[in-house]
């Protein structure tokens, strides 16, 4: 059961990440999964730390909005079935 739940969670994460641009996705992955600092990401990408922070915050806002949309859809679907 745990592996099924983990697969579903991974699928949700991939679905959410697919809503981002390639640049946003790369920065989110480097920052959250690889746990790199903004300076380390800047060194890798050649972008400024300020630019990376802005891109990261915009990506997080988009992910949050998309997550809310998915939850809203699911809630309407569940309650519509009753």
């Amino acid at each position: 059961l745990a592996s099924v739940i983990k697969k579903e969670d991974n699928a949700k994460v991939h679905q959410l990440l697919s809503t981002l641009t390639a640049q946003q996705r790369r920065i989110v992955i480097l920052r959250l999964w690889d746990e790199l600092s903004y300076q380390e990401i800047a060194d890798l990408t050649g972008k400024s730390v300020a630019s990376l922070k802005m891109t990261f915050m915009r990506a997080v806002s988009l992910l949050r909005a998309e997550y809310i949309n998915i939850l809203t859809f699911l809630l309407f679907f569940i309650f519509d079935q009753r």
Side-chain angles (χ1 to χ4, degrees):
L1 180 62
S3 64
V4 170
I5 292 171
K6 187 164 179 72
K7 274 186 178 180
E8 289 177 10
D9 288 343
N10 284 338
K12 290 174 190 171
V13 168
H14 285 286
Q15 180 183 5
L16 286 171
L17 287 175
S18 71
T19 65
L20 301 176
T21 66
Q23 179 183 355
Q24 289 171 327
R25 191 169 39 253
R26 181 176 185 208
I27 292 168
V28 167
I29 290 170
L30 289 172
R31 183 79 176 119
L32 298 179
W33 275 269
D34 296 337
E35 299 181 352
L36 297 182
S37 69
Y38 287 112
Q39 186 59 57
E40 290 170 318
I41 299 170
D43 293 341
L44 282 173
T45 63
K47 307 268 185 206
S48 71
V49 170
S51 172
L52 290 170
K53 286 181 179 180
M54 182 62 73
T55 301
F56 179 80
M57 293 309 296
R58 286 182 180 157
V60 168
S61 292
L62 289 171
L63 290 172
R64 189 176 294 128
E66 186 62 29
Y67 186 71
I68 289 170
N69 288 339
I70 291 170
L71 286 178
T72 302
F73 171 78
L74 289 174
L75 287 173
F76 279 122
F77 179 77
I78 290 168
F79 287 113
D80 191 43
Q81 299 298 315
R82 292 182 175 192

